[in-house]
Amino acid sequence: MIVSSPYDKILVRLPVRQGTVSVRSVDGNSSGSRYWEYGAPSATTTLVLVHGFRGDHHGLQLVVAEMLDGDAIPPDLRIVAPDLPGFGESDPLPDGAHSLAGYAHWLGEFLRVLAPTGRLVLLGHSFGSIVVAAAIADGITADDVILVNPIAAPALSGPRGILTRLAVFYYWAAATLPERLGYALLQNRAIVRIMSVSMAKTRDPALRRWIHDQHDRYFSGFANRRVVMEAFTASVSHDVSEFAARIQQPTLLIAADKDDITPLAAQYRLQALFPNATLRVIEEVGHLIHYEKPKPAALLIREFLGGERPV
């Protein structure tokens, strides 16, 4: 069944090109990384998007669509959205170890192969915010940084830490069971729906149905059980605050006032750790800014890219 959304019209108008590149791992072995590209191929500004845990590039499509919809942003922009290794259509890392270090190294190598020219801006959402922060702290060259729903503090300390602990138990159970049963548990639609319901804040029933449908379609698009377990461990073992002080680039933090994973107070503390960061808060939304408030997020990103730094 096809579930429509308020965004269908702009998604239909979104032109896209697809590609696959071979990316080297820490040990020198290679794997295929799938990416989707929007905007002008020869643009002087390239914006690379890094999605969150268990998602793929689809999660950030609405933000892309809102950014490229209309004449509010100069056409000289290239947007590239890869699937993280082991998720969506990208191969797992060939040497295993889907750790934060592994993903940060992958991002650096992906950018090396992509070889963007001109201004490079990195955007990370949720777990992607940790990957981007770790990669830049390790020395990746980028001109600007944008973090959406950044993980500002340890996940277990969030306002709904009890749910995170239940998630830890869930992934522990999935890892402990025999392979077939564990894999089935990770893909269980009822549990995916519980996760989706817990994160959605919108009261629009049509939008809620569409969000749940998106999670049903893409939240279980992972290569195998090991990938999910290792990525989950990385996601709850690190946060952006570990790397903030080493990120000198102008940074835009886009936070939500109802984020159950990272409370707003932690976002303000995170901002203070950066040498050059601006925090903007979108109201009446939680950890799904990219689904529920893509237009406000796109407007903030447009301002940032246009040099009109929010105040």
Side-chain angles (χ1 to χ4, degrees):
M1 182 180 68
I2 297 176
V3 178
S4 62
S5 82
Y7 306 112
D8 286 346
K9 290 183 179 179
I10 63 171
L11 286 176
V12 168
R13 297 198 300 267
L14 184 64
V16 59
R17 301 173 297 278
Q18 300 181 34
T20 303
V21 293
S22 181
V23 180
R24 290 187 314 207
S25 68
V26 174
D27 292 341
N29 297 313
S30 297
S31 60
S33 290
R34 191 76 168 157
Y35 69 91
W36 286 255
E37 183 178 1
Y38 315 83
S42 58
T44 57
T45 295
T46 298
L47 173 64
V48 176
L49 313 179
V50 182
H51 65 77
F53 175 65
R54 279 190 67 159
D56 64 17
H57 74 282
H58 287 95
L60 293 169
Q61 267 192 334
L62 292 183
V63 177
V64 173
E66 291 287 4
M67 289 184 63
L68 298 180
D69 189 47
D71 301 322
I73 191 169
D76 197 18
L77 175 66
R78 176 193 187 196
I79 302 177
V80 179
D83 283 345
L84 283 171
F87 294 93
E89 296 183 29
S90 287
D91 296 335
L93 294 173
D95 310 313
H98 293 78
S99 61
L100 181 58
Y103 280 119
H105 176 85
W106 164 84
L107 180 56
E109 285 297 302
F110 177 79
L111 293 173
R112 183 184 63 80
V113 175
L114 189 67
T117 58
R119 181 187 184 190
L120 173 62
V121 184
L122 298 184
L123 182 152
H125 172 257
S126 189
F127 176 55
S129 72
I130 310 176
V131 174
V132 167
I136 293 178
D138 282 346
I140 282 183
T141 300
D143 296 287
D144 302 276
V145 181
I146 302 170
L147 305 180
V148 182
N149 287 121
I151 307 300
L156 294 177
S157 68
R160 297 176 74 177
I162 183 63
L163 290 182
T164 307
R165 287 176 173 82
L166 288 174
V168 170
F169 175 77
Y170 162 65
Y171 285 103
W172 172 83
T176 303
L177 289 169
E179 176 73 26
R180 183 177 62 83
L181 293 177
Y183 190 80
L185 180 61
L186 289 172
Q187 293 190 312
N188 185 279
R189 290 176 68 89
I191 294 176
V192 170
R193 179 56 54 88
I194 290 172
M195 294 178 182
S196 186
V197 169
S198 70
M199 290 189 290
K201 301 301 179 185
T202 179
R203 296 182 180 179
D204 182 336
L207 182 54
R208 289 184 71 90
R209 282 195 299 272
W210 183 79
I211 290 170
H212 299 333
D213 177 70
Q214 291 294 290
H215 284 137
D216 287 345
R217 288 173 182 269
Y218 305 119
F219 208 60
S220 296
F222 47 82
N224 53 55
R225 178 172 69 169
R226 178 177 56 80
V227 166
V228 179
M229 297 308 305
E230 292 176 350
F232 175 74
T233 299
S235 73
V236 298
S237 301
H238 301 276
D239 63 84
V240 177
S241 69
E242 298 174 41
F243 312 102
R246 287 182 277 161
I247 299 176
Q248 302 295 324
Q249 292 88 339
T251 301
L252 173 64
L253 307 175
I254 302 178
D257 65 339
K258 294 184 177 181
D259 195 335
D260 292 323
I261 294 179
T262 301
L264 195 53
Q267 300 289 8
Y268 282 104
R269 289 194 295 270
L270 176 65
Q271 179 194 10
L273 298 176
F274 282 89
N276 186 13
T278 300
L279 173 65
R280 293 298 295 268
V281 179
I282 299 178
E283 297 181 348
E284 298 301 316
V285 67
H287 203 65
L288 302 181
I289 284 177
H290 58 308
Y291 284 148
E292 297 186 26
K293 300 283 187 175
K295 188 168 187 175
L299 290 173
L300 292 174
I301 295 169
R302 286 175 177 176
E303 292 178 8
F304 187 75
L305 293 179
E308 301 172 11
R309 298 294 187 258
V311 295

